[in-house]
Amino acid sequence: MTNPLAPLELPPTPQDWTDWLRTRVDHDLAEAARLRDRLRTLGRNAPGGDGSSGTPEQHRNQVLGTWNELYRTLRGISALTNLVVNVHPEAATREVGEEAERRISELYTALGQDELLYRALRQVPTDDVDETTRRMVELELRDFKRAGVDADRATRERLVQLSKELTELGQEFDRRIRDDVRSITIDASRLGGLPQDWIDAHQPDENGQVTITTDYPDLLPFTTFAQDREARLALSTVSLQRGWPDNQATLAAMIERRNERARLLGYPDWADYDAEVKMIGEGEAIAAFIDDVVAKARPAAEADRELLLRRLREDHPDVDTVYNTDASYYTELIRREQHGVDSQHVRSYFSFPQVRDGLLDVTGKLFGMTWTPRPDAPLWHEDVTAYDVDVDGETIGRMYLDLHPRDNKFKHAAQFDLVAGIEGRQLAEGVLVCNLPTGLMEHNQVVTLFHEFGHLVHHLLAGRQRWVRDAGITTEWDFVEAPSQMLEEWAWDAAVLRTFARNAEGEPIPTELVTKMRAASDVAKAWRATVQMFYASLSYYFHHAPQPDLDAQHRELMARYNIADLLPDTHMHTSFGHLHGYSSAYYTYMWSLVIAKDLYSAFDHDDPFDLETARRYRDKVLAPGGSRDAAELVEDFLGRPYTTDAFTAWLAE
């Protein structure tokens, strides 16, 4: 069975995008305004009165149908411009996207405060509708309240101004991180310990000097393998100076305006406002969660620190500090010396093309999905590839893989929506954006690819909803990471890895090596958990109780939560992009991990292709999208409410 719906028609060449995007934005915003006006008319005319829209049922259908079409249009153009700003190679196209983002944000803000729209939706009777529709209407009405629809005029006007300023500040913050690529230059003789293919890709200049940048394909191998501690610290230092000093003021302004918005709406601070719509429920619970995880992890983290420091002192006897960049190098060294796991040997089994194809094979088998390459699809860059996606013979969407670094591209790894899938209306489309090497990959990069692909699978499978609000990854934000974190488990399974991980001689990765890798992965695990909770503390306390000097607060929280020492003259928060996207909610990564460990407990760990459980998980957790509360989805799959037991056991291993 095929699907008659067609994917979004993109411009034929990258150079055609600028005018096309400008025209598309103008068209879609005009269409959104038309639909808004139609809803306003419906809001004025109560069912049964003069000029009304007919019977209550007819009125409801008109309101909800128009409502869905309005937000389908806005969500589509929002996703498109967000993608363009982060990945398009043409500066002029990115500028059109940034301007469009500002216009879209202003319209969203105005819609959230539109009393006639609120009245139109509030008039909709929900006594005799299905549960999904009733829930959608309730949540939309809640969002109106959170936007200030019932505030006085002066408050609403200030909220509009704050929204505009926050959009501009967020763009500014992200742009600096994206564009601020720093580097160090060292003598080629100081590259000892690095993989040969990495050295071959970094040829010295006429003076014997090699330049190493802060982009991931340079940064991660260098901080993991380079034997020269001084050089490792130098590269880490400039990496943690990105965005400094300008992003300090931008971040402070973002936080101040977020908190003003929250207070205008009756909340004590932004963290409490933001938590209301998440599983965790309230800001104070974030602080309690951070403290709980740190309390559980700290004893083992202290032992990790001692282990790392002892090994560090074998090379540098007078050192009494352990930085995160030291942990990267010495964790790898201890894995090699104590567990017989050499990551340079491990990476010989993970060439990028094999990993990509293996990932598609594994996930296709688990979830009944087929990925058909579309070399004829228009793309925004030659590195991008497109695939049509089928599930059990039905076409459900299209995916794009944009997996390698380039100038002016998003610097991390993420799944970007392109189109939200609506049953009978449009196919789901998503884009996986990473910065992976084209050659050999570290195993942690393989894990990252599985993780991010989990988001893409979730978006695609959840693309057959009735209401645009429920389409794709629209569950509570602190659940969003759970499915992708769970998919990481398959990147650690020997039987799975042996299906695609092969060295240059074609030999599959030995099962014994994977067993050692799993054991070695526990080295400094508690250290890494405390680092994650330090990031969460920055995210939360910057918004809950910001200090005038964020740099000083960064140092204070580092001392309180992080087991690592602070690398001098660094300002990690100015390049921590999640402080824009996640704001006060970075805790969600660990919160989701708690649930991910519980979800994985339902699978047969001796059979990575436990298809019965995988398909049940697909249908009960992924496919519903945001149509039900996340806790309900998990309980439906597990047959019980989720618990912390699996996570606590994992942390204690």
Side-chain angles (χ1 to χ4, degrees):
M1 174 181 176
T2 60
N3 194 317
L5 300 178
L8 180 65
E9 189 173 338
L10 299 176
T13 71
Q15 292 71 34
D16 296 319
W17 277 65
T18 305
D19 291 339
W20 173 83
L21 181 64
R22 187 180 291 111
T23 301
R24 175 89 189 205
V25 169
D26 289 343
H27 173 274
D28 285 8
L29 291 183
E31 175 65 5
R34 184 189 71 80
L35 293 164
R36 175 204 60 201
D37 292 344
R38 171 63 178 152
L39 279 170
R40 284 174 172 170
T41 300
L42 291 168
R44 291 188 187 97
N45 299 328
D50 292 341
S52 76
S53 51
T55 67
E57 182 179 359
Q58 290 171 330
H59 179 78
R60 177 179 66 205
N61 292 341
Q62 290 179 48
V63 169
L64 294 185
T66 308
W67 186 273
N68 209 41
E69 193 64 12
L70 169 60
Y71 282 94
R72 182 196 70 83
T73 303
L74 279 176
R75 182 169 169 184
I77 197 61
S78 297
L80 177 61
T81 54
N82 183 43
L83 177 70
V84 164
V85 166
N86 281 283
V87 305
H88 203 278
E90 300 288 333
T93 309
R94 296 195 302 272
E95 289 169 5
V96 171
E98 288 188 339
E99 172 59 27
E101 283 187 326
R102 292 189 283 271
R103 294 170 62 191
I104 294 164
S105 175
E106 289 173 9
L107 181 54
Y108 265 121
T109 301
L111 292 175
Q113 296 181 5
D114 195 310
E115 295 174 272
L116 285 173
L117 266 61
Y118 180 54
R119 182 191 301 176
L121 194 62
R122 197 174 52 187
Q123 289 171 352
V124 169
T126 57
D127 294 341
D128 58 344
V129 299
D130 60 272
E131 176 60 23
T132 300
T133 300
R134 183 197 61 75
R135 179 178 179 276
M136 183 273 291
V137 172
E138 287 183 354
L139 293 179
E140 293 288 358
L141 291 173
R142 179 199 66 184
D143 289 350
F144 267 110
K145 294 278 191 179
R146 287 170 54 81
V149 71
D150 52 359
D152 60 69
R153 173 175 290 185
T155 299
R156 291 201 306 271
E157 289 176 353
R158 180 57 183 157
L159 288 168
V160 169
Q161 182 62 28
L162 287 171
S163 178
K164 179 180 179 181
E165 291 176 9
L166 281 166
T167 298
E168 293 170 352
L169 288 165
Q171 289 179 334
E172 186 179 300
F173 189 74
D174 287 346
R175 190 187 310 115
R176 285 202 189 98
I177 298 171
R178 188 172 63 242
D179 296 347
D180 191 358
V181 179
R182 305 199 183 193
S183 64
I184 63 170
T185 300
I186 62 174
D187 193 85
S189 63
R190 300 175 68 185
L191 299 182
L194 284 154
Q196 189 59 48
D197 61 314
W198 191 96
I199 294 174
D200 293 341
H202 293 76
Q203 291 298 310
D205 61 20
E206 62 276 9
N207 298 316
Q209 301 290 295
V210 174
T211 297
I212 305 150
T213 75
T214 54
D215 278 344
Y216 279 2
D218 275 8
L219 178 70
L220 295 182
F222 196 86
T223 54
T224 302
F225 298 119
Q227 295 168 350
D228 189 322
R229 185 178 189 241
E230 182 181 346
R232 289 198 313 271
L233 295 182
L235 184 62
S236 295
T237 297
V238 297
S239 179
L240 294 171
Q241 291 171 338
R242 289 176 300 128
W244 176 264
D246 293 343
N247 261 359
Q248 171 104 325
T250 301
L251 177 59
M254 272 200 296
I255 292 167
E256 188 275 328
R257 285 157 178 78
R258 284 170 178 161
N259 277 324
E260 182 183 351
R261 177 180 173 183
R263 288 191 294 269
L264 285 172
L265 291 166
Y267 298 82
D269 55 52
W270 176 265
D272 220 48
Y273 170 82
D274 190 58
E276 182 185 42
V277 295
K278 295 180 170 60
M279 295 180 76
I280 205 163
E282 59 182 9
E284 289 183 358
I286 299 174
F289 177 70
I290 292 170
D291 289 342
D292 181 58
V293 173
V294 170
K296 288 175 176 167
R298 185 169 288 279
E302 295 283 3
D304 288 342
R305 178 187 170 83
E306 288 303 312
L307 174 67
L308 293 166
L309 183 58
R310 282 198 305 272
R311 184 58 188 85
L312 172 59
R313 282 175 171 166
E314 290 181 26
D315 298 334
H316 305 276
D318 297 331
V319 167
D320 59 4
T321 53
V322 185
Y323 304 120
N324 271 322
T325 188
D326 288 319
S328 298
Y329 177 77
Y330 283 100
T331 296
E332 162 61 24
L333 200 59
I334 292 167
R335 287 170 177 167
R336 184 162 67 243
E337 294 174 347
Q338 297 188 10
H339 295 273
V341 176
D342 181 349
S343 290
Q344 291 198 41
H345 173 61
V346 170
R347 69 196 293 273
S348 69
Y349 292 95
F350 294 113
S351 72
F352 169 78
Q354 290 178 183
V355 173
R356 177 199 58 208
D357 294 346
L359 170 69
L360 298 181
D361 289 343
V362 169
T363 51
K365 187 174 182 179
L366 280 173
F367 302 123
M369 306 179 81
T370 303
W371 325 95
T372 303
R374 291 301 306 264
D376 58 327
L379 305 169
W380 53 91
H381 192 273
E382 61 185 8
D383 286 347
V384 183
T385 53
Y387 299 76
D388 282 344
V389 184
D390 288 39
V391 172
D392 298 335
E394 178 185 0
T395 300
I396 64 166
R398 176 168 287 183
M399 72 171 183
Y400 298 86
L401 303 182
D402 187 347
L403 301 180
H404 306 301
R406 58 179 178 271
D407 290 343
N408 306 120
K409 178 188 167 184
F410 179 77
K411 295 302 180 189
H412 304 290
Q415 185 265 333
F416 286 76
D417 292 0
L418 182 55
V419 179
I422 308 296
E423 185 69 41
R425 188 68 176 85
Q426 61 191 23
L427 296 172
E429 298 185 55
V431 184
L432 190 59
V433 180
C434 297
N435 286 273
L436 301 172
T438 56
L440 297 178
M441 299 172 62
E442 312 297 332
H443 181 253
N444 62 0
Q445 293 174 318
V446 177
V447 174
T448 295
L449 184 57
F450 269 73
H451 174 104
E452 299 300 343
F453 199 76
H455 288 307
L456 186 58
V457 167
H458 193 179
H459 173 72
L460 293 166
L461 287 173
R464 290 177 284 184
Q465 309 300 320
R466 178 182 180 187
W467 306 115
V468 68
R469 183 187 181 99
D470 300 332
I473 309 174
T474 50
T475 57
E476 297 95 318
W477 202 245
D478 42 4
F479 177 73
V480 161
E481 297 295 332
S484 53
Q485 286 171 325
M486 195 192 73
L487 193 59
E488 293 178 20
E489 301 286 354
W490 278 261
W492 285 100
D493 188 279
V496 170
L497 293 178
R498 284 174 63 82
T499 65
F500 64 83
R502 300 177 184 278
N503 61 18
E505 290 71 41
E507 301 164 337
I509 191 168
T511 299
E512 317 82 71
L513 177 56
V514 179
T515 300
K516 291 179 180 178
M517 288 163 55
R518 291 191 71 121
S521 71
D522 285 337
V523 174
K525 177 170 64 179
W527 168 291
R528 294 192 298 277
T530 59
V531 170
Q532 285 296 306
M533 299 323 290
F534 158 65
Y535 296 158
S537 75
L538 278 182
S539 169
Y540 173 69
Y541 285 106
F542 272 9
H543 290 87
H544 171 65
Q547 296 178 8
D549 184 349
L550 292 180
D551 214 36
Q553 189 169 16
H554 168 242
R555 294 192 296 271
E556 175 190 315
L557 292 168
M558 181 87 174
R560 179 176 172 187
Y561 287 106
N562 205 336
I563 208 72
D565 291 297
L566 177 66
L567 189 59
D569 196 26
T570 59
H571 317 273
M572 168 262 175
H573 54 290
T574 62
S575 61
F576 189 27
H578 287 305
L579 290 174
H580 175 212
Y582 277 73
S583 67
S584 57
Y586 189 79
Y587 78 91
T588 60
Y589 276 92
M590 194 65 75
W591 180 276
S592 295
L593 184 60
V594 170
I595 299 174
K597 293 297 181 184
D598 207 16
L599 289 171
Y600 186 57
S601 70
F603 286 81
D604 181 352
H605 295 186
D606 294 325
D607 178 12
F609 295 104
D610 174 7
L611 298 188
E612 180 181 353
T613 307
R615 302 298 166 83
R616 187 166 56 84
Y617 167 75
R618 177 193 73 181
D619 297 338
K620 289 182 177 292
V621 177
L622 301 181
S627 62
R628 298 173 65 191
D629 290 351
E632 291 181 15
L633 298 177
V634 174
E635 184 170 355
D636 191 23
F637 172 65
L638 293 176
R640 56 167 175 77
Y642 69 90
T643 73
T644 63
D645 296 349
F647 172 78
T648 302
W650 168 80
L651 196 59
E653 286 176 357

